[in-house]
Amino acid sequence: MTDRYLTVDQVAELLGTTTRFPRRLIEERRIRYVKVGRHVRIPESAVEEYVTARTVEPVRLRRTALRRAA
């Protein structure tokens, strides 16, 4: 149990968004969270998983594909 549990405000700051965004992720159950009484906490690993799952890698184009036909 070495995972840090973050508040909604901390997750919003970490993602660079408003608090509304992590709250929507929780409501739509798109991110793991833990209820501690009436408080909601999000494991730091859940935030990392969310970001990793939605990271889009760049597409490498071959130079020949960029040339114009004569």
Side-chain angles (χ1 to χ4, degrees):
M1 210 166 140
T2 59
D3 211 5
R4 273 184 54 206
Y5 291 93
L6 307 173
T7 64
V8 172
D9 292 335
Q10 290 172 323
V11 172
E13 185 178 333
L14 187 63
L15 295 176
T17 65
T18 63
T19 57
R20 186 176 177 184
F21 181 67
R23 288 187 191 282
R24 192 176 84 222
L25 293 177
I26 291 166
E27 182 182 338
E28 296 173 357
R29 297 185 182 241
R30 293 170 50 197
I31 194 166
R32 286 186 297 121
Y33 65 94
V34 178
K35 293 278 291 196
V36 182
R38 66 183 188 130
H39 302 284
V40 174
R41 297 293 182 258
I42 302 170
E44 196 169 23
S45 62
V47 177
E48 292 172 10
E49 290 169 10
Y50 179 81
V51 170
T52 302
R54 281 147 185 86
T55 300
V56 178
E57 296 296 328
V59 177
R60 293 194 140 197
L61 299 176
R62 295 181 299 170
R63 288 184 172 251
T64 56
L66 299 176
R67 292 186 186 164
R68 290 187 177 186

